[in-house]
Amino acid sequence: MVLKAPERITYTDGHSFCPGCGHGTAIRLIGEVLEELRLEEDTIIVLDVACGGMPIDVWRYDTIEAAHGRPVPTAVGVKMVRPDQPVLAYLGDGAAYSIGLAETIHAARRNDNIAVIVLNNCVFGMTGGQMSPTTLQGQITTSSPGGKSMESGGGTLDVIRLLSTMDIAYLARGAVCDSANIRKTKKYIKRAMEKQLHKEGFGLVEILSPCPTNWKMTPVRCMEHIKEQILPVFPVGEFIGKEGESV
């Protein structure tokens, strides 16, 4: 992360993110990547609604807000009509892996030439902190007050395991829990965009992100929670298309 904020991201008029939310860091990283690749004028970003739609208030990129869970197919459609422009879909884990899971899988299956950034905080954030497909076993949410279990909520979905056998351009998972992980996450976002520029196909970067409001933790405790509880379940790194590796 550089010291000077990207020129097209500004909080002058305020923002809607909860204190300690990871969305602010994630969209800052996206802005830095677009600036470094000189893609600010050309990139089209497709947002989800709710928390995933809030970046539209603080950045100045060509942006489309899709229906809930539908940023990925909307991004695919945009890419079809604007094949020479970079297209990025930005959404949360509930949208990408619950209501939008079929669209995410089939975009990967077709190796559509888009980049997808998914903020995974293991809950549905805006709608009240309900259990999502990525909620950890034993995790307490508003719809699993006794803790998620196989009997009441099923298994925990790991998108890396789900997509790792597919012929896609890039697959990575990062986190925003400390400076080292933030720097790596930025590299992953940049590589996903570069893969698209080289017309290699579908790239997905999942970002493990804190949600202090729904986790009912302080921002500092959220970062510790990611390191202690979430990283062992969702390991970070590059899984397909790492540097020096071709599709």
Side-chain angles (χ1 to χ4, degrees):
M1 182 178 287
V2 296
L3 293 178
K4 183 176 181 296
E7 291 185 0
R8 288 176 178 256
I9 294 180
T10 174
Y11 295 100
T12 304
D13 298 323
H15 62 82
S16 302
F17 301 123
C18 298
C21 173
H23 276 285
T25 303
I27 66 173
R28 166 73 179 261
L29 296 180
I30 291 171
E32 290 182 8
V33 167
L34 296 182
E35 191 170 77
E36 290 173 11
L37 294 176
R38 299 183 179 180
L39 297 176
E40 307 104 300
E41 286 289 338
D42 298 327
T43 301
I44 300 173
I45 304 178
V46 183
L47 296 177
D48 197 57
V49 297
C51 299
M54 290 179 181
I56 202 169
D57 296 326
V58 297
W59 68 24
R60 293 180 289 112
Y61 304 109
D62 289 332
T63 305
I64 298 170
E65 191 157 12
H68 182 42
R70 302 300 187 265
V72 173
T74 304
V76 171
V78 171
K79 192 69 175 183
M80 287 180 176
V81 298
R82 296 289 183 92
D84 295 326
Q85 288 190 250
V87 179
L88 185 151
Y90 182 88
L91 62 168
D93 57 291
Y97 309 148
S98 183
I99 187 172
L101 181 61
E103 288 81 359
T104 301
I105 289 176
H106 289 298
R109 179 183 60 80
R110 294 186 302 263
N111 198 30
D112 289 321
N113 193 36
I114 62 170
V116 178
I117 309 298
V118 180
L119 264 283
N120 178 6
N121 54 26
C122 303
V123 293
F124 279 94
M126 175 65 78
T127 57
Q130 298 93 338
M131 181 171 51
S132 85
T134 60
T135 298
L136 305 184
Q137 295 298 305
Q139 182 176 340
I140 294 173
T141 72
T142 54
S143 56
S144 58
K148 179 180 178 179
S149 66
M150 287 297 297
E151 292 75 21
S152 64
T156 298
L157 188 146
D158 183 343
V159 75
I160 302 300
R161 295 180 62 187
L162 188 65
L163 301 183
S164 61
T165 60
M166 293 190 175
D167 294 324
I168 60 178
Y170 192 71
L171 181 63
R173 177 187 287 131
V176 292
C177 55
D178 56 36
S179 58
N181 276 291
I182 289 171
R183 287 194 297 270
K184 290 178 182 178
T185 299
K186 178 180 174 179
K187 291 180 181 178
Y188 302 157
I189 296 170
K190 191 170 187 177
R191 286 177 188 159
M193 294 302 294
E194 289 171 338
K195 294 286 186 180
Q196 181 180 173
L197 293 176
H198 298 151
K199 303 185 186 306
E200 294 183 41
F202 185 88
L204 185 143
V205 179
E206 182 178 88
I207 302 175
L208 303 176
S209 173
C211 185
T213 297
N214 288 304
W215 291 0
K216 303 188 186 308
M217 300 177 187
T218 66
V220 172
R221 179 63 193 127
C222 281
M223 301 309 184
E224 296 169 347
H225 177 73
I226 291 175
K227 295 177 185 178
E228 296 168 1
Q229 301 296 325
I230 298 180
L231 286 177
V233 177
F234 295 127
V236 296
E238 294 174 293
F239 300 91
I240 294 177
K242 62 185 66 175
E243 188 175 21
E245 176 181 290
S246 59
V247 178

